[in-house]
């Protein structure tokens, strides 16, 4: 049957590749669901569609060897964190709480605080005990030193010293008297003078002495110098002896004051040798530093002096670095801000007198220490984005310990004397979360990665859609609605969610495993049911929620449709034109994507075999699109110019396109436009085309097929459906169709058509209404076919090109003539 424009009219029931309405969307029949509502559905036996990933996680958790950390791959919104967290908590529940870790003062090297490892719960008990000790020992020391016993002992020591000093001085004085001189005590020290009547001579007596007497007295005084010097050496020794005895008394008193406190602590911690060693060191330090501790002001002795360098009771305290409850299990920790300091720990500082000071009590644990003995969940991209965090994590895993260093200290920029806390041994499982690109980039670029993360758990994006997976999806929907406190769903609502899961996966035969969109749909559908006053969510509520989501996001789509309807963007949906075809593109705006038609035009003329891609020449064409253009050029050469020079000069362009073009899904449309320009046959503008082609002309699958069909359908419906409009898609995409209900209904009414084609010949036949034409055994195409017209045109171009090259008049060879009945201009 001929159309008014001379083309062959293809009626929907007999058109090649026409898909039936039931092939346009794989509906989920609610009657096949064996429940009325989700109220009685049990939770899924395991995470939906993730058996492979669950097995990988279990393997990584059960192997205790070094390097068996996990990297969890998957898309955002796939509930990876939730699933893995549940698996980790179940595994951790069978393991006891790990040990406590404390930092204590290093009496041998104060700049290098020591670690103390204790069973879970004992660290908190030791800290409390030492806080009590610090609060009591000062008072005990004060009471002991103010007691009568200590004072009497010190007084006895001092009295003995004074007695021995007086005896030594008296002996020296008597020795001087025996020699006729008297010993005098002056501010400058001891002196000797001539003696008269038991006392020193007066001035008159001294002047009355003869020269011989003077010489004798001088010799006597000179002789007293040696015993005097001996006495001068003896007195300091006596004083030191006295001081040592006083110090011993103080130590005894300190030992008595603190000893009973330490003894009580030892009784409480008798099972922990490391604590007993620490308590012995504390007692020895208390005894050694008794006088200084006595002089430390009580009101600030526990705070300021701990940072200013003065001796303080704060050094007897315990920094409970990591604490665990003995009734708990192994920790499952998640670090959402994995900076270097938050991972490996840090040493805080406090301001004092214009400077920053610190001590061992300000050492803070990082995520690695808090999760030690358990599991640590990290986001790979966040770790990689933080300076030196990835390097710090790798160093800890390779060395098996965590050393706390500040970044200036790590980079060698620190000028002050830092604290160097003792490193803590590391024994935990690291679970990194990331997308697949992160995993494979790390695997390719970091030589340490494979040795540190030996297990990859890859979460599925979709699962095969069958009766079993549909039932499991229903359980998943019920579980997530119940967990969020939402209304139960009837089976119609579940069936609609199953269809949406298939749509989200991009394949009618699969279901998406992502839960983010499912949670959003459940909340929004619950709201629609509440507004409608229903106690159960129905299919209608899900549909309303879907339409509301689209309405919130389709502002740009409405603007594009308006531009098309007002002919600002020139898109024809009726008539025919040579060298012009409606292609289809998809715009993705976050989670919302929509299709829209684009006008693709082609020109053909005599040339030297070049095919000009205007998009590429204007730097708008991206690599994959350029590759598609090169492939269709190769197809033309292989099919039509095997024995003659390829003398075509052609151009392709996306009209009114001002943004980058990527992808090869327009290759089929571009090839059809070129074939139309070469043959002179006009193309039906009521059809839109999408699909990629290979060098043999086979049509290959593309993405976004549902959005593309619906985008052209919306434009056609706005202008009025005529029954001639439709879309050509790759046959390989037929199994992916999950079209909207209005598109399916239009197709059922014969107002819109979807054709699945497997080769460019099928597409060009539908677009022109003229058979493509298959070559016979002699390599000749049927007369009047598209391929015959194209081959003749290219052959004539070759002849004309050769004629130009040899100087023969143009047209001396066989001329190409436009076929009758194809005007080459627009046909309405």
């Amino acid at each position: 049957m001929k159309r008014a424009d001379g083309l062959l009219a293809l009626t929907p029931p007999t058109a090649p590749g026409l898909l039936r309405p039931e092939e346009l969307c794989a509906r989920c029949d609610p009657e096949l669901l064996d429940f009325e509502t989700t109220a009685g559905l049990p939770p899924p036996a395991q995470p939906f569609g993730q058996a492979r990933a669950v097995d990988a996680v279990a393997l990584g958790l059960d192997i205790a060897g070094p390097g068996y950390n996990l990297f969890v791959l998957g898309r955002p919104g796939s509930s990876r964190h939730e699933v893995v967290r549940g698996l980790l908590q179940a595994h951790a529940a069978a393991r006891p709480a790990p040990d406590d870790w404390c930092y204590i003062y290093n009496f041998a090297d104060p700049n290098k605080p020591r670690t103390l490892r204790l069973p879970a719960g004992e660290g908190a008990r030791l800290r409390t005990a030492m806080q009590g000790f610090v609060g009591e020992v000062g008072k005990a020391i004060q009471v002991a030193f103010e007691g009568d016993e200590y004072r009497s002992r010190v007084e006895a020591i001092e009295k003995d010293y004074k007695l021995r000093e007086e005896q030594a001085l008296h002996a020296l004085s008597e020795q001087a008297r025996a020699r006729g001189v008297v010993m005098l005590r002056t501010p400058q020290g001891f002196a000797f003078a001539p003696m008269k009547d038991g006392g020193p001579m007066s001035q008159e007596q001294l002047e009355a002495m003869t020269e011989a007497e003077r010489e004798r007295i001088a010799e006597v005084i000179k002789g007293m110098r040696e015993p005097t010097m001996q006495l001068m050496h003896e007195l300091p020794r006596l004083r030191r002896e006295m001081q040592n005895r006083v110090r011993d008394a103080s130590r005894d008193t300190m030992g008595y004051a603190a000893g009973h406190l330490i003894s009580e602590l030892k009784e409480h911690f008798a099972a922990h040798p490391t604590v007993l060693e620490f308590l012995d060191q504390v007692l020895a330090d208390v005894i050694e530093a008794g006088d200084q501790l006595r002089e430390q002001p009580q009101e600030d002795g526990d705070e300021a002096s701990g940072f200013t360098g003065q001796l303080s009771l704060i050094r007897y305290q315990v920094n409970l670095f990591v604490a665990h409850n003995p009734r708990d299990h192994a920790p499952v920790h998640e670090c959402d801000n994995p900076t270097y300091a938050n991972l490996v720990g840090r040493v805080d500082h406090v301001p004092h007198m214009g400077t920053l000071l610190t001590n061992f009590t300000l050492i803070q644990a990082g995520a690695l220490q808090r999760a030690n003995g358990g599991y640590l969940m990290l986001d790979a991209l966040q770790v990689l984005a933080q300076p030196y965090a990835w390097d710090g994590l790798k160093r800890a895993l390779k060395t098996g310990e965590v050393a706390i260093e500040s970044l200036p200290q790590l980079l060698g920029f620190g000028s002050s004397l830092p604290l160097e806390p003792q490193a803590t041994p590391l024994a935990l499982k690291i679970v990194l979360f990331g997308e697949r690109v992160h995993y494979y980039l790390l695997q390719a670029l970091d030589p340490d990665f494979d040795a540190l993360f030996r297990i990859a758990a890859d979460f599925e994006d979709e699962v095969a859609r069958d009766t079993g997976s549909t039932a499991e999806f229903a359980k998943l929907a019920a579980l997530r609605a119940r967990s969020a406190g939402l209304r139960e769903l009837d089976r119609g609502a579940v069936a609609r969610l199953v269809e949406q899961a298939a749509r989200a996966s991009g394949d009618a035969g699969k279901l998406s495993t992502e839960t983010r969109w499912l949670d959003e749909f459940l909340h929004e559908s619950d709201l629609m049911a509440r507004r409608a006053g229903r106690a159960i969510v129905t299919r209608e509520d899900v549909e309303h929620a879907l339409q509301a989501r689209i309405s919130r996001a389709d502002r740009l789509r409405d603007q594009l449709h308006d531009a098309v309807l007002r002919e600002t963007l020139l898109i024809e949906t009726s008539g025919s034109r040579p060298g012009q075809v409606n292609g289809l593109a998809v715009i993705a705006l976050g989670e919302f994507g929509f299709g829209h038609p684009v006008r693709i035009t082609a020109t053909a003329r005599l040339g030297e075999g070049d095919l000009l891609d205007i998009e590429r020449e204007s730097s708008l064409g991206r690599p994959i699109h350029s590759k598609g253009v090169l492939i269709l050029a190769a197809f033309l050469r292989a099919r039509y110019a095997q024995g003659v020079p390829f003398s075509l000069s052609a151009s392709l362009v996306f009209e009114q396109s001002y943004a980058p073009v990527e992808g090869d899904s327009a290759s089929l449309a571009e090839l059809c436009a070129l074939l139309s320009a070469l043959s002179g046959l006009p193309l039906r503008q009521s059809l839109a085309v999408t699909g990629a082609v290979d060098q043999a002309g086979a049509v290959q699958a593309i993405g976004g097929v549902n959005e593309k069909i619906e985008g052209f359908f919306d434009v056609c419906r706005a202008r009025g459906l005529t029954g001639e409009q439709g879309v050509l898609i790759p046959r390989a995409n037929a199994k992916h169709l999950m079209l909207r209900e209005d598109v399916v209904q239009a197709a059922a009414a014969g107002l819109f058509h979807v054709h699945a084609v497997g080769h460019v010949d099928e597409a060009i036949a539908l677009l022109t209404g003229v058979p493509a034409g298959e070559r016979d055994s002699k390599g000749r195409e049927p007369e009047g076919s598209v391929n015959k017209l194209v081959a003749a045109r290219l052959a004539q171009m070759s002849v004309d090109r050769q004629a130009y090259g040899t100087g023969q008049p143009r047209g001396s060879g066989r001329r190409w003539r436009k076929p009758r009945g194809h005007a080459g201009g627009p046909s309405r």
Side-chain angles (χ1 to χ4, degrees):
M1 184 176 73
K2 292 282 188 177
R3 295 190 330 193
D5 56 9
L7 296 180
L8 197 63
L10 300 175
T11 58
T14 60
L18 180 65
L19 297 179
R20 301 187 304 275
E22 57 269 22
E23 296 178 281
L24 303 182
C25 184
R27 298 296 181 200
C28 177
D29 187 357
E31 297 301 324
L32 298 179
L33 301 176
D34 59 353
F35 58 87
E36 291 297 328
T37 72
T38 58
L41 288 181
Q46 65 176 5
F48 178 62
Q50 305 300 345
R52 188 203 318 270
V54 170
D55 289 343
V57 172
L59 175 67
L61 296 181
D62 289 339
I63 298 179
Y68 281 92
N69 300 295
L70 294 96
F71 194 106
V72 179
L73 302 77
R75 291 179 181 174
S78 60
S79 70
R80 295 168 297 161
H81 292 74
E82 179 181 345
V83 170
V84 173
R85 187 184 298 110
L87 296 174
L88 294 180
Q89 289 173 344
H91 198 267
R95 299 178 57 193
D99 292 338
D100 291 344
W101 286 92
C102 306
Y103 269 107
I104 57 176
Y105 187 78
N106 189 340
F107 296 98
D109 191 347
N111 283 327
K112 297 181 179 179
R114 296 168 46 216
T115 58
L116 192 63
R117 184 174 187 174
L118 294 170
E122 292 296 285
R125 198 163 67 90
L126 178 61
R127 179 185 61 178
T128 302
M130 293 310 295
Q131 287 175 343
F133 171 79
V134 168
E136 294 179 9
V137 71
K139 299 175 182 178
I141 291 173
Q142 192 72 19
V143 170
F145 278 92
E146 291 177 355
D148 293 339
E149 182 179 351
Y150 173 75
R151 292 188 177 184
S152 299
R153 184 174 176 182
V154 171
E155 289 175 359
I157 293 172
E158 292 175 347
K159 183 182 295 185
D160 181 65
Y161 166 72
K162 289 179 181 179
L163 177 60
R164 296 176 64 183
E165 183 183 36
E166 290 297 330
Q167 288 175 347
L169 291 175
H170 180 72
L172 182 61
S173 177
E174 290 300 320
Q175 185 179 357
R177 286 177 175 275
R179 297 185 182 187
V181 294
V182 64
M183 185 177 70
L184 303 175
R185 294 187 182 184
T186 67
Q188 290 76 28
F190 296 104
F192 294 94
M195 184 176 65
K196 184 72 172 180
D197 298 331
M201 290 184 181
S202 63
Q203 187 63 31
E204 291 81 3
Q205 292 173 335
L206 287 174
E207 292 176 355
M209 290 177 62
T210 64
E211 189 64 27
E213 290 176 339
R214 291 175 185 274
E215 292 177 2
R216 185 184 66 80
I217 293 299
E219 287 295 329
V220 171
I221 293 175
K222 184 178 180 181
M224 292 299 298
R225 183 176 301 171
E226 182 177 352
T228 302
M229 292 301 295
Q230 292 177 353
L231 180 60
M232 291 302 100
H233 286 90
E234 181 67 15
L235 290 179
R237 186 187 66 78
L238 292 175
R239 177 170 291 278
R240 286 194 300 273
E241 183 181 336
M242 181 269 295
Q243 291 173 345
N244 289 336
R245 293 173 64 190
V246 170
R247 188 176 298 112
D248 289 342
S250 297
R251 289 177 177 174
D252 291 344
T253 303
M254 294 289 283
Y256 172 77
H260 72 280
L261 298 176
I262 295 295
S263 297
E264 292 178 3
L265 293 177
K266 285 185 173 182
E267 292 177 2
H268 295 156
F269 295 94
H272 308 303
T274 54
V275 176
L276 299 180
E277 179 185 357
F278 169 62
L279 294 176
D280 287 338
Q281 293 174 351
V282 169
L283 180 59
D285 188 75
V286 169
I287 293 173
E288 185 66 27
D291 289 338
Q292 298 178 62
L293 291 174
R294 285 174 56 200
E295 296 167 3
Q296 182 67 41
Q298 291 299 312
E299 58 273 12
D300 64 353
D302 290 343
E303 297 294 338
S305 62
F307 303 103
T308 60
Q310 299 178 31
L311 196 62
S312 170
L313 293 173
I314 198 172
R315 64 185 187 174
Y316 304 135
Q317 292 186 358
V318 171
N319 178 5
L320 184 54
F321 189 58
V322 178
H324 298 285
N325 190 322
R327 293 184 295 274
D328 287 344
H329 50 68
V332 177
H333 186 70
E334 186 170 2
C335 182
D336 57 2
N337 184 26
T339 63
Y340 176 82
N342 287 349
L343 275 179
V344 305
R346 67 184 188 276
V347 180
D348 289 338
H349 294 73
V350 294
H352 179 78
M353 302 294 289
T355 187
L356 294 175
L357 301 171
T358 187
N359 64 35
F360 76 100
T361 63
L362 296 180
I363 302 174
Q364 304 296 330
L368 288 172
Q369 293 97 338
R370 286 192 289 270
N372 201 9
Y375 313 87
L376 177 59
M377 300 167 59
L378 295 170
D379 184 271
L381 192 59
Q382 291 181 353
V383 175
L384 293 169
Q386 296 294 338
Y388 299 98
W390 178 247
D391 293 331
L393 176 62
K394 288 200 305 178
R395 185 167 58 250
L397 292 177
K398 286 193 290 186
T399 61
E401 61 181 22
V402 188
I404 300 177
E405 296 177 289
S406 65
L407 279 179
Q409 179 183 356
L410 182 68
L411 299 176
F413 296 152
S415 58
S416 60
L417 184 63
L419 283 184
E420 299 178 18
Q422 182 181 356
T424 54
L426 192 64
L428 80 167
K429 289 285 185 182
I430 301 290
V431 182
L432 275 183
F433 293 85
E435 299 182 45
R436 293 177 179 88
V437 63
H438 303 148
Y439 176 80
Y440 293 115
L441 282 175
L442 284 170
Q443 195 175 49
L445 301 177
D446 192 330
D448 300 321
F449 180 74
D450 281 337
L452 297 177
F453 293 89
R454 300 179 186 270
I455 302 296
D458 196 350
F459 271 61
E460 302 284 355
D461 298 329
E462 63 269 330
V463 297
R465 179 180 174 185
D466 53 29
T467 304
S469 61
T470 300
E472 288 299 307
F473 181 85
K475 295 177 183 178
L476 174 66
L479 173 65
R480 301 195 76 84
R482 208 169 296 142
S483 300
L486 305 178
R487 289 169 171 78
E488 300 290 344
L489 297 86
D490 68 10
R491 57 184 179 181
V494 173
R496 185 64 186 89
L497 289 175
V498 169
E499 296 167 3
Q500 189 61 29
R503 172 72 180 244
S505 73
D507 191 331
K510 295 185 180 297
L511 296 176
S512 172
T513 61
E514 293 187 16
T515 56
R516 179 186 298 171
W517 70 266
L518 178 59
D519 291 339
E520 293 172 356
F521 263 99
L522 290 172
H523 280 83
E524 294 164 20
S525 301
D526 181 82
L527 174 62
M528 298 301 171
R530 177 160 60 87
R531 287 177 175 176
R534 284 188 281 268
I536 300 293
V537 176
T538 66
R539 184 185 184 95
E540 182 182 356
D541 299 321
V542 178
E543 290 285 1
H544 288 168
L546 175 60
Q547 295 305 317
R549 288 173 66 85
I550 295 175
S551 177
R552 292 194 299 270
D554 66 350
R555 182 186 62 83
L556 181 58
R557 185 181 66 170
D558 288 347
Q559 288 182 345
L560 281 174
H561 288 173
D562 182 68
V564 170
L565 296 177
R566 299 176 65 184
E567 298 188 351
T568 303
L569 289 178
L570 301 180
I571 300 293
E572 299 184 37
T573 56
S574 61
S576 59
R577 283 185 179 274
Q580 175 176 306
V581 68
N582 288 323
L584 294 170
V586 172
I587 295 179
L589 301 175
E591 296 182 357
F592 176 70
F594 64 91
H596 66 97
V598 292
R599 184 163 51 102
I600 299 174
T601 61
T603 62
R605 53 203 173 274
L606 183 65
E608 298 182 355
D610 56 319
L611 178 57
L612 180 65
D613 179 7
I614 295 178
E615 302 298 328
R616 179 181 180 184
E617 294 299 318
S618 61
S619 299
L620 291 176
R622 295 295 185 255
I624 297 179
H625 174 262
S626 299
K627 175 185 176 183
V629 174
L630 294 174
I631 289 174
L632 64 90
F635 167 79
L636 291 174
R637 289 186 178 93
R639 170 171 279 197
Y640 303 111
Q642 288 187 355
V644 297
F646 191 56
S647 303
L648 168 69
S649 179
S651 61
L652 288 167
V653 68
F654 281 61
E655 302 289 358
Q656 293 183 286
S657 172
Y658 311 103
V661 177
E662 180 59 308
D664 60 354
S665 64
S667 300
L668 177 61
E670 292 171 322
L671 181 55
C672 290
L674 271 174
L675 294 177
S676 171
L678 287 167
S679 66
L681 297 173
L683 301 178
R684 295 171 58 187
Q685 302 301 297
S686 59
L687 296 176
V689 182
T690 183
V693 294
D694 62 15
Q695 292 189 103
V699 181
Q700 302 172 132
I702 46 83
V705 64
N706 292 295
E707 290 80 2
K708 290 175 179 178
I709 295 172
E710 292 167 356
F712 190 65
F713 172 81
D714 290 338
V715 172
C716 294
R717 183 176 58 179
R719 284 180 169 172
L721 295 174
T722 63
E724 295 185 352
Q725 294 137 335
V727 176
L728 276 63
I729 66 169
R731 186 170 293 125
N733 282 119
K735 58 182 174 291
H736 301 148
L737 294 180
M738 286 295 297
L739 295 173
R740 296 190 320 239
E741 182 63 27
D742 55 348
V743 181
V744 176
Q745 291 177 357
L751 299 177
F752 193 79
H753 315 291
V754 179
H755 303 271
V757 297
H759 196 275
V760 63
D761 288 346
E762 301 174 36
I764 197 66
L766 285 167
L767 287 167
T768 62
V770 175
E774 295 185 8
R775 289 180 176 178
D776 58 18
S777 59
K778 296 182 180 181
R780 293 175 298 186
E781 300 87 355
E783 290 293 331
S785 66
V786 176
N787 287 328
K788 181 66 175 180
L789 296 173
V790 173
R793 176 75 183 278
L794 289 173
Q796 183 62 49
M797 286 182 174
S798 177
V799 171
D800 291 345
R801 179 182 174 188
Q802 292 175 3
Y804 278 123
T806 59
Q808 297 180 10
R810 186 169 182 265
S812 58
R814 181 181 178 183
R815 296 292 296 168
W816 172 85
R817 285 181 171 82
K818 187 177 299 184
R820 294 180 180 181
H822 302 288
S827 177
R828 301 290 183 184

